[in-house]
Amino acid sequence: MDDLKAPSRNITSDNIPNIIPILPIVDTNLFPKMVLPLVLVQNEAVELIDEAMSGNRMLGLLLSKRSDIDSRHTANDLHMIGTIAIILKMSKMEDDKAQLLIQGLDRFRVKKFLSGKKYIQAQIDVLENRNADRNKENRALMVNIVEQYEKVVNLSPGLPSEMGHMIKSLQEPNVLADMVASTINAPVLEKQKVIELLDVTKRLKKVTRLVNDQLEILEMGSKIQTQVKEDMDKRQREYYLRQQMKAIKEELGETEDDRVEIKEYQTKIEEKGLSEEAQKEGKRELQRLSRMHPSSSEYVVASTYLDWLTSLPWNQRSKDKLDIKEARRILNNDHYGLEKPKKRILEYLAVRKLKNDSKGPILCFTGPPGTGKTSLGRSIARALGREFVRIALGGVRDEAEIRGHRRTYVGALPGRIIQCLRKAGTKNPVFMLDEIDKVSSSYHGDPSSALLEVLDPEQNFSFSDHYLDVSFDLSDVMFLTTANVLHTIPAPLRDRMEILELNGYTEEEKLKIATRYLVPRQRDANGLNSTQVKITFGAVKKIISGYTRESGLRNLERHIGSVCRGVASKIAEKKAKNLIVGQKDLHEYLGPVSNMPDLALRIENPGVVVGLAWTPYGGEILFIEAVAMKGGKNLTLTGQLGDVMKESASTALSFIRANAKKLNVDEAFFNNHDLHIHVPEGSIPKDGPSAGVAMLTCLTSLMTGRIVKKRLAMSGEITLRGEVLPVGGIKEKVIAAHRAGIKKIILPLWNQKDMEDVPDYIKNFIEFYFVDKMESVLELALD
């Protein structure tokens, strides 16, 4: 290893050449008069040092703007002002590295970078200090720096105490500023700014700021360390005292009444805002707990009870968003149509804005599956700014599911109402009771009876759960319920709720919802974007009419998902990059069309009528057929007809026999013929009075030989006097008729008021006739 030392002669700034080699440095600075050790690993740098050592041993140090040490630096990467240094000592190591000890001489500025060498050279100007005399301002700044620097030295374990004494001995302002800047822990770029300041007064001010910043950091670190040490000493002392107390109590045989867990429960009871009744019960249970041994089973029961009691949101509320315009925007963005529920929610918001203490409504959304009842609840919660919780009541047959079990039972827990409130964390969430029409009773009790108190605004302010055994206020909760049908809900429970009907969607509404919501959602769910797959409007319409015949949207979304999965499969196999799915392509993804063609046009013989029926899943068209055969007065009914529907057939036949002459029916017909009425799709049970008009028309058509007009449907209940009585489900029936291509509908006169709910474009497509007498029906229906 070579060891070359500097000569003894003094080299000053007077004999600094105007062209010197440049050594880029990273993550460090060199100030004039300061000494810096360096280790060089790059070949260019080692070659630079070799040439410098053979000459005047001078080189220029410039800070690199790049932070990577091993990469090669160019002139564009360097700052333009740096420090001229002289090599005091250089040692070469066995792995071609070089160790240097260099000392700064003066500042310099690069005039021009020169080429021709493997390393960087530059033409330079040596820079002189300005305002370097000991004027009053400089002396004041020097005194402040020395005072602050001594504090930094005292707080910094890496700085020797002698540094403070050495700084005091410096009389030159520029040397003091450079010395302090080089030794404090400051960012490299901040130190570079000090090197670039030629005005000594400004340099002193800059160094003063750096010293103050460093002192603040050190003082803060010292304070944190002191606090940590004090906390540790305090904890160690407490631990030692607790261990002593424990040993003493064990010797005396005393119990440990002040367990940490009991103190925590006590704090929670006082701070959680429990009601007076709950606070009293909690303190009583806490006293019992303090007398129990932690290993006993009763201890677990009591502590679990206190956990539930103190974790409920007794006072925590969400702040309602009372911006009606924003709520309307959210509801419209999330759901298309559903105007009545949206209007009711906005009315509630308006009332809440005018009267803060108004009680939450109990709304029941009823309608076919897939019409958006549950998702509407989530949108309502988002519009109100409340938490949303939901429990499914389908199949619930135990009253304890609602009210909870008493604590005497093993593994007892609160009911699902209290559990969901704990999960929500607030006492005023939007609470959805899903499928309330499917609650059933058993020997365990009747859950619907337990819901009577929950869903009564006049009682639920003091709802009592069997497990808690204290009253909890549910009056701030906004309860929503959903149901497919209403007749299975007990009358007292139905009376407590405000019914909002969510009727089925028309084909046009489905088309808009599918393109706006369902297609993008299924596209994202299957890892596709809008450029990879496009389902045309015609294809969506074909899916609606040919593959789904429902009031809701679930099957439609399922079929759209099937198309997206088929496209995703092709893209994943690299058979295509993007696809446009049209009507003709649906067969490949969904198979053949599943819906039967338009049968409403196939009325070619007397004794065939199109009726309209309502089901929990929406409206349907219903074909009623009748034939006559030789026999004697027998009437046969087939097609799984219920009792009410059979009675409608008997009523229709009696009316015709009683008015045979008026209806131009041969009276001998009844004595010589048997009649058979059949309603196709015999595997599906059918019942209800609304087929009476269709049955009477069907029989009259058969007996008179007059064909029922094509594209005509009808619905209504009949009496023996020939009156037409109103029926329900008008909107669903009309939508089903429109879907089947019906052009004319006969309805009871009293149902004319229900046309408000029918969309206008369907009213324009279909011609409606409202009648109150059977004679009018037959006159309109028969050719």
Side-chain angles (χ1 to χ4, degrees):
M1 182 173 67
D2 298 330
D3 190 356
L4 300 175
K5 296 186 178 178
S8 58
R9 63 187 176 89
N10 291 325
I11 298 176
T12 64
S13 59
D14 296 332
N15 50 10
I16 296 174
N18 63 347
I19 296 176
I20 59 172
I22 300 297
L23 178 65
I25 55 175
V26 179
D27 294 335
T28 188
N29 306 89
L30 176 65
F31 286 80
K33 307 293 188 295
M34 303 298 115
V35 177
L36 179 68
L38 288 176
V39 176
L40 305 178
V41 296
Q42 291 183 330
N43 294 331
E44 297 86 355
V46 174
E47 185 178 340
L48 181 154
I49 297 303
D50 288 340
E51 291 202 16
M53 290 298 295
S54 63
N56 57 14
R57 299 191 175 212
M58 291 188 190
L59 67 158
L61 269 64
L62 290 177
L63 180 67
S64 175
K65 298 174 184 176
R66 293 161 54 184
S67 59
D68 44 340
I69 298 173
D70 297 330
S71 60
R72 183 168 182 173
H73 299 269
T74 64
N76 293 329
D77 300 329
L78 305 177
H79 289 269
M80 300 301 287
I81 294 179
T83 305
I84 301 169
I86 186 168
I87 302 173
L88 299 179
K89 184 177 181 180
M90 191 273 282
S91 300
K92 279 193 173 180
M93 305 171 69
E94 294 177 357
D95 52 358
D96 293 333
K97 292 183 180 179
Q99 288 185 336
L100 297 180
L101 187 64
I102 60 177
Q103 182 178 6
L105 295 177
D106 279 305
R107 291 171 169 80
F108 76 92
R109 177 184 282 110
V110 175
K111 290 176 66 177
K112 182 172 65 172
F113 287 104
L114 304 175
S115 58
K117 298 277 188 181
K118 289 185 178 179
Y119 52 82
I120 302 172
Q121 281 188 309
Q123 184 179 351
I124 66 166
D125 283 335
V126 179
L127 302 175
E128 298 291 337
N129 292 312
R130 299 195 297 268
N131 295 331
D133 56 330
R134 288 175 55 83
N135 55 44
K136 286 185 180 180
E137 186 177 6
N138 285 356
R139 289 204 307 274
L141 289 168
M142 290 173 67
V143 170
N144 184 58
I145 289 174
V146 169
E147 181 182 344
Q148 298 296 88
Y149 187 76
E150 284 183 326
K151 295 179 182 177
V152 171
V153 171
N154 293 332
L155 292 172
S156 300
L159 289 176
S161 58
E162 291 80 6
M163 289 294 297
H165 300 299
M166 186 176 70
I167 289 293
K168 283 183 180 180
S169 65
L170 297 177
Q171 298 300 318
E172 299 178 36
N174 57 312
V175 177
L176 175 69
D178 290 344
M179 173 70 80
V180 171
S182 68
T183 55
I184 64 171
N185 184 15
V188 175
L189 290 177
E190 293 297 320
K191 290 186 177 183
Q192 175 65 23
K193 291 178 183 177
V194 176
I195 292 175
E196 294 176 356
L197 286 171
L198 301 181
D199 189 308
V200 175
T201 303
K202 292 182 179 179
R203 194 187 305 167
L204 287 168
K205 290 179 179 178
K206 175 67 175 176
V207 172
T208 300
R209 286 195 292 272
L210 293 178
V211 172
N212 286 335
D213 289 344
Q214 182 64 21
L215 182 59
E216 286 181 8
I217 293 171
L218 290 170
E219 286 177 343
M220 193 176 298
S222 177
K223 183 179 179 183
I224 292 171
Q225 189 174 3
T226 303
Q227 287 178 345
V228 171
K229 187 174 182 303
E230 287 176 356
D231 290 344
M232 289 181 65
D233 292 342
K234 184 179 178 183
R235 288 177 185 174
Q236 288 175 349
R237 183 171 176 273
E238 287 179 355
Y239 176 75
Y240 177 71
L241 291 173
R242 289 183 189 281
Q243 292 298 108
Q244 281 188 326
M245 288 176 65
K246 184 178 178 181
I248 292 169
K249 287 187 176 183
E250 285 179 357
E251 287 294 326
L252 296 174
E254 295 179 357
T255 57
E256 189 180 358
D257 292 331
D258 55 344
R259 285 190 292 269
V260 175
E261 190 176 14
I262 292 175
K263 285 186 176 180
E264 289 178 354
Y265 285 135
Q266 191 170 359
T267 304
K268 287 179 180 178
I269 290 172
E270 293 171 356
E271 295 178 354
K272 285 288 184 177
L274 277 66
S275 65
E276 185 177 345
E277 181 188 7
Q279 216 171 34
K280 184 178 178 181
E281 182 66 20
K283 289 179 179 178
R284 187 180 70 82
E285 196 67 21
L286 188 60
Q287 286 180 354
R288 289 183 61 243
L289 185 71
S290 64
R291 293 193 294 268
M292 297 177 193
H293 195 275
S295 62
S296 69
S297 58
E298 285 295 318
Y299 184 92
V300 177
V301 173
S303 62
T304 304
Y305 174 79
L306 288 171
D307 280 335
W308 277 102
L309 193 68
T310 55
S311 62
L312 290 176
W314 294 92
N315 268 336
Q316 292 77 21
R317 287 182 175 84
S318 299
K319 187 176 180 181
D320 282 343
K321 293 180 184 176
L322 300 178
D323 188 342
I324 297 175
K325 289 184 179 178
E326 177 65 13
R328 181 182 282 112
R329 185 190 67 79
I330 291 173
L331 293 173
N332 288 335
N333 283 350
D334 289 353
H335 290 83
Y336 181 84
L338 307 181
E339 298 303 328
K340 283 188 176 180
K342 290 178 184 177
K343 179 185 175 185
R344 182 63 184 86
I345 297 306
L346 295 175
E347 288 172 352
Y348 166 72
L349 267 180
V351 173
R352 187 82 178 180
K353 192 171 185 178
L354 299 176
K355 193 173 187 296
N356 284 331
D357 58 346
S358 62
K359 295 178 180 178
I362 313 294
L363 303 180
C364 178
F365 299 144
T366 178
T371 50
K373 299 185 291 297
T374 305
S375 59
L376 181 61
R378 297 183 189 278
S379 297
I380 290 169
R382 195 158 72 90
L384 293 174
R386 295 189 182 188
E387 296 294 324
F388 177 78
V389 288
R390 168 187 169 274
I391 61 174
L393 296 178
V396 172
R397 56 179 61 193
D398 188 351
E399 182 187 355
E401 292 278 339
I402 308 299
R403 282 194 177 274
H405 296 84
R406 300 198 181 276
R407 276 178 284 160
T408 52
Y409 292 98
V410 176
L413 284 174
R416 292 166 72 177
I417 302 290
I418 295 297
Q419 290 182 33
C420 287
L421 286 173
R422 180 188 182 182
K423 179 182 176 183
T426 61
K427 66 177 298 183
N428 64 334
V430 174
F431 201 126
M432 175 157 281
L433 303 172
D434 224 352
E435 309 290 354
I436 198 170
D437 57 324
K438 296 173 180 61
V439 173
S440 56
S441 59
S442 69
Y443 64 91
H444 293 292
D446 186 1
S448 59
S449 299
L451 289 171
L452 291 175
E453 181 185 3
V454 175
L455 299 180
D456 190 344
E458 301 300 324
Q459 299 179 36
N460 62 12
F461 65 88
S462 60
F463 172 71
S464 179
D465 185 274
H466 288 282
Y467 180 82
L468 294 181
D469 205 23
V470 293
S471 298
F472 191 90
D473 186 4
L474 298 179
S475 59
D476 290 333
V477 179
M478 182 176 188
F479 283 104
L480 305 176
T481 65
T482 69
N484 296 131
V485 294
L486 294 176
H487 64 268
T488 59
I489 304 175
L493 185 59
R494 191 167 64 242
D495 183 61
R496 283 163 165 77
M497 300 183 292
E498 181 179 343
I499 309 298
L500 293 176
E501 292 186 3
L502 275 68
N503 298 310
Y505 296 105
T506 64
E507 186 172 310
E508 283 73 11
E509 288 173 335
K510 287 183 180 180
L511 185 61
K512 290 180 180 178
I513 294 170
T515 53
R516 189 181 299 181
Y517 301 102
L518 305 185
V519 172
R521 187 160 66 201
Q522 283 301 315
R523 194 170 56 210
D524 293 341
N526 291 284
L528 300 170
N529 56 48
S530 56
T531 60
Q532 290 175 310
V533 59
K534 182 179 180 183
I535 304 176
T536 64
F537 287 103
V540 175
K541 199 167 185 180
K542 182 71 175 292
I543 295 173
I544 294 170
S545 61
Y547 293 89
T548 64
R549 185 166 285 178
E550 55 173 348
S551 295
L553 300 164
R554 284 204 181 99
N555 279 332
L556 175 58
E557 184 169 9
R558 207 170 285 131
H559 282 78
I560 291 172
S562 297
V563 173
C564 290
R565 286 193 298 275
V567 172
S569 177
K570 288 187 176 182
I571 292 175
E573 294 176 13
K574 298 185 178 179
K575 293 181 180 178
K577 290 185 178 180
N578 49 62
L579 288 170
I580 298 176
V581 180
Q583 293 187 45
K584 296 179 180 178
D585 305 315
L586 292 178
H587 185 277
E588 179 182 354
Y589 300 103
L590 302 178
V593 172
S594 56
N595 290 343
M596 297 178 69
D598 188 3
L599 298 179
L601 303 177
R602 299 187 177 182
I603 300 178
E604 300 175 353
N605 300 316
V608 183
V609 176
V610 179
L612 297 175
W614 178 90
T615 72
Y617 309 102
E620 293 287 347
I621 63 168
L622 202 67
F623 286 88
I624 299 174
E625 305 170 347
V627 294
M629 60 211 85
K630 287 186 178 181
K633 301 183 180 180
N634 292 324
L635 175 63
T636 304
L637 301 169
T638 56
Q640 280 212 59
L641 307 186
D643 291 339
V644 177
M645 208 165 182
K646 290 177 180 178
E647 290 169 0
S648 295
S650 299
T651 303
L653 183 58
S654 297
F655 174 80
I656 295 172
R657 292 180 66 181
N659 297 275
K661 189 173 182 180
K662 189 188 297 184
L663 298 176
N664 295 322
V665 175
D666 185 1
E667 293 184 2
F669 181 91
F670 302 102
N671 298 322
N672 303 326
H673 294 85
D674 288 341
L675 295 175
H676 183 170
I677 298 177
H678 176 66
V679 182
E681 297 186 11
S683 62
I684 301 174
K686 310 167 190 73
D687 202 3
S690 60
V693 168
M695 285 186 168
L696 192 145
T697 305
C698 175
L699 292 172
T700 306
S701 169
L702 176 69
M703 295 175 189
T704 59
R706 297 167 66 188
I707 299 175
V708 177
K709 295 176 182 177
K710 291 185 178 181
R711 293 184 180 269
L712 173 72
M714 58 190 71
S715 181
E717 183 180 357
I718 60 171
T719 68
L720 288 173
R721 301 187 307 277
E723 294 182 354
V724 180
L725 301 182
V727 291
I730 295 300
K731 180 183 178 182
E732 289 86 351
K733 293 176 179 178
V734 171
I735 290 173
H738 176 259
R739 190 165 56 229
I742 297 295
K743 295 289 187 180
K744 298 178 181 179
I745 297 179
I746 299 174
L747 293 173
L749 182 63
W750 279 93
N751 284 123
Q752 191 169 1
K753 58 182 174 52
D754 297 317
M755 297 301 293
E756 281 185 17
D757 299 332
V758 178
D760 290 336
Y761 68 89
I762 293 183
K763 293 179 186 177
N764 297 332
F765 181 84
I766 297 177
E767 190 175 353
F768 293 91
Y769 301 97
F770 298 96
V771 299
D772 58 353
K773 297 290 183 182
M774 272 309 305
E775 290 85 349
S776 303
V777 173
L778 298 175
E779 185 178 342
L780 290 168
L782 300 178
D783 279 336

